[in-house]
């Protein structure tokens, strides 16, 4: 039968988000075994063991709907980050909070200011609401916050900043973020997406949480997907003014985080030891992998996160396909504005060695 439903033009024009290829899919399609996935900034240590135990212990209760607002996880986040509990909102991953904000605030004719070379979900969430994605060129592969502030006009409803940024791994200092908030009118929502904040050790970096009191138009996002290793459970959070959150709650579906995700996240927050182990290992491997890349003659963007943007002497998608044949899954970056760069997630020591060996084989220079 012919399917006759027509989507409106702005939806027809939309290119869906392309996620990293799962290991099983690659192995099935290419007949490979032993592939490593270094494509989605996932945690090489797996989930926090405490989170896993809490999730297992809660399985008997999955016939009950979760608490709608996630009271206990909000309480745990409030205590952990020293933010009042009425300033906490949960998302099915922090990405959902971006979509909720877009749904709540955007109308056709509105625009959202974001950076070129940033997380592609920002553009998708904006275009899905038939609004304009205003992408501002970067300065040295870092968000140009001054230019972004200048790009705000009467139709701007949101400014989206990934700090640190994905896929470049660069960051903006606390001072720069504070200036952005001073320059953007207070009726424009500023979202600072801090998905990788746990990995950053630079002294001039800081969470924008510290600016919440002074800026009621600020929403700060965090996630359990990266340093805490709970990507598959889909749980993230936002901090903002209670009246801002009241607007977002109107566009949120009632049970947007699952009960299992909530209990696992509470336990993960208490597992500081796990996060420290993850972050310290990542820092050591980052140093080692960068030194190796340098020796091999590759240039890359210095990163404060758990991934690296590496420049390759060929089209990004060619490099991706060649590495795939070596059993190493990375992310090609042309769709993100980097036609000759790949993004690789630091993984286990063995995984990182596999990547380095495969890269030197397919892209020797
Ligand atoms: C991974 C990532 C997130 C987190 O997404 P979840 O929906 O929480 O899994 C958010 N923002 C950026 C920039 C990311 O890279």
């Amino acid at each position: 039968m012919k399917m006759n439903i027509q989507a409106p033009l702005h939806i027809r024009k939309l290119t869906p988000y392309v996620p990293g290829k799962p290991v099983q899919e690659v192995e099935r399609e290419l007949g490979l075994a032993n592939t490593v996935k270094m494509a989605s900034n996932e945690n090489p240590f797996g989930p926090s063991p405490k989170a896993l135990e809490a999730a297992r212990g809660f399985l008997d209760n999955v016939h009950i709907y979760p608490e709608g607002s996630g009271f206990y996880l909000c309480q745990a986040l409030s205590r952990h980050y020293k933010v009042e509990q009425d300033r906490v909102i949960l998302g099915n991953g922090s990405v959902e909070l971006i979509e909720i904000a877009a749904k709540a605030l955007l109308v056709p004719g509105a625009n959202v200011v974001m950076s070129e070379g940033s997380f592609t979900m920002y553009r998708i969430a904006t275009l899905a609401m038939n609004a304009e994605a205003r992408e501002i060129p970067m300065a040295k592969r870092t968000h140009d916050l001054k230019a972004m502030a200048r790009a705000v006009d009467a139709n701007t409803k949101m400014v989206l900043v990934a700090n640190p940024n994905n896929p470049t791994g660069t960051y903006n200092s606390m001072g720069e973020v504070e200036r952005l908030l001073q320059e953007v009118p207070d009726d424009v929502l500023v979202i600072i997406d801090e998905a990788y904040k746990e990995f950053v050790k630079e002294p001039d970096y800081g969470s924008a949480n510290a600016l919440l009191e002074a800026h009621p138009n600020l929403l700060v996002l965090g996630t359990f997907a990266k340093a805490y290793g709970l990507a598959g459970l889909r749980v993230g959070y936002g901090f903002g003014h209670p009246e801002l959150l009241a607007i977002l709650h109107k566009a949120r579906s009632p049970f947007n985080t699952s009960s299992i995700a909530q209990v696992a996240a509470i336990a993960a927050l208490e597992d500081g030891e796990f996060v420290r182990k993850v972050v310290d290992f990542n820092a050591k491997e980052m140093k080692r992998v960068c030194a190796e890349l340098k020796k091999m003659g590759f240039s890359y963007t210095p990163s404060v996160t758990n991934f690296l943007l590496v420049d390759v002497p060929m089209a990004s998608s060619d490099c991706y396909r060649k590495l795939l044949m070596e059993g190493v899954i990375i992310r090609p970056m042309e769709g993100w504005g980097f036609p000759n760069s790949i993004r690789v997630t630091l993984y286990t020591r063995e995984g990182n060695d596999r990547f380095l060996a495969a890269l030197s084989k397919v892209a020797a220079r």
Side-chain angles (χ1 to χ4, degrees):
M1 286 294 274
K2 187 171 180 308
M3 206 289 287
N4 284 319
I5 296 166
Q6 278 276 6
L9 182 64
H10 70 280
I11 297 295
R12 271 182 278 156
K13 284 198 315 203
L14 206 60
T15 329
Y17 186 78
V18 185
K21 256 192 189 297
V23 164
Q24 292 91 328
E25 189 180 320
V26 170
E27 296 191 343
R28 197 170 57 234
E29 286 177 359
L30 299 177
L32 296 170
N34 243 326
T35 57
V36 280
K37 184 181 175 200
M38 304 169 73
S40 301
N41 302 342
E42 292 152 342
N43 200 317
F45 287 90
S48 142
K50 285 193 179 152
L52 207 54
E53 191 186 324
R56 284 205 181 100
F58 204 80
L59 280 171
D60 287 345
N61 298 304
V62 291
H63 59 300
I64 309 284
Y65 276 108
E67 193 159 351
S69 67
F71 180 89
Y72 292 105
L73 177 53
C74 288
Q75 184 180 61
L77 285 162
S78 157
R79 286 180 182 155
H80 189 84
Y81 289 106
K82 305 195 169 39
V83 172
E84 289 148 86
Q85 190 166 347
D86 62 356
R87 289 175 179 262
V88 188
I89 187 170
L90 304 180
N92 195 261
S94 53
V95 158
E96 193 205 20
L97 288 167
I98 295 163
E99 290 175 326
I100 289 173
K103 200 163 130 190
L105 297 176
L106 300 185
V107 289
N111 70 67
V112 178
V113 171
M114 59 190 76
S115 182
E116 279 180 0
S118 188
F119 193 34
T120 54
M121 273 308 297
Y122 301 163
R123 183 169 63 220
I124 293 170
T126 301
L127 299 183
M129 293 307 298
N130 204 4
E132 176 203 344
R134 197 166 278 187
E135 295 178 272
I136 310 306
M138 306 191 103
K140 292 190 187 140
R141 292 190 169 180
T142 307
H143 281 67
D144 186 346
L145 296 187
K146 279 187 187 152
M148 289 174 74
R150 279 196 302 273
V152 171
D153 66 15
N155 293 320
T156 303
K157 297 293 173 200
M158 305 203 282
V159 177
L160 290 179
V161 177
N163 195 29
N165 184 42
N166 176 8
T168 56
T170 53
Y171 73 102
N172 293 98
S173 71
M174 190 67 174
E176 285 178 280
V177 174
E178 193 163 10
R179 262 194 307 281
L180 173 77
L181 280 151
Q182 282 159 0
E183 285 167 8
V184 172
D186 66 2
D187 60 348
V188 174
L189 174 63
V190 176
I191 299 186
I192 309 288
D193 178 354
E194 300 181 344
Y196 303 93
K197 66 179 171 207
E198 291 89 353
F199 293 101
V200 189
K201 293 179 187 282
E202 270 59 18
D204 60 344
Y205 176 82
S207 169
N209 286 350
L211 306 173
L212 284 167
E213 283 292 339
H215 298 281
N217 59 324
L218 169 63
L219 182 69
V220 186
L221 301 183
T223 181
F224 288 94
K226 309 286 160 55
Y228 288 95
L230 301 180
L233 280 181
R234 313 302 307 126
V235 55
Y237 52 91
F239 298 131
H241 191 280
E243 287 169 44
L244 167 64
L245 300 194
I247 295 172
L248 302 184
H249 279 301
K250 291 187 185 196
R252 177 179 73 80
S253 72
F255 307 108
N256 63 325
T257 57
S258 73
S259 52
I260 299 289
Q262 290 176 22
V263 295
I266 292 170
L269 266 186
E270 289 163 6
D271 199 352
E273 196 192 327
F274 175 78
V275 176
R276 260 192 307 280
K277 184 175 75 175
V278 168
V279 167
D280 289 348
F281 177 79
N282 180 72
K284 266 198 287 187
E285 283 298 282
M286 182 61 83
K287 245 190 174 155
R288 188 176 75 85
V289 170
C290 286
E292 290 297 323
L293 286 171
K294 208 173 249 174
K295 261 195 253 163
M296 288 158 58
F298 287 94
S299 71
Y300 56 85
T301 308
S303 168
V304 298
T305 63
N306 64 341
F307 56 83
L308 258 178
L309 190 65
V310 182
D311 305 323
V312 290
M314 65 182 86
S316 179
S317 52
D318 288 340
C319 189
Y320 163 74
R321 272 190 295 273
K322 288 180 179 176
L323 287 173
L324 208 54
M325 300 315 291
E326 302 296 320
V328 176
I329 315 171
I330 52 86
R331 275 294 255 293
M333 283 289 124
E334 44 258 279
W336 300 52
F338 301 95
N340 298 103
S341 309
I342 56 171
R343 193 196 66 193
V344 59
T345 307
L346 296 195
Y347 210 56
T348 58
R349 211 186 146 90
E350 298 71 39
N352 297 337
D353 285 341
R354 283 272 303 275
F355 164 72
L356 289 165
L359 184 67
S360 110
K361 182 170 167 194
V362 308
R365 30 172 52 185

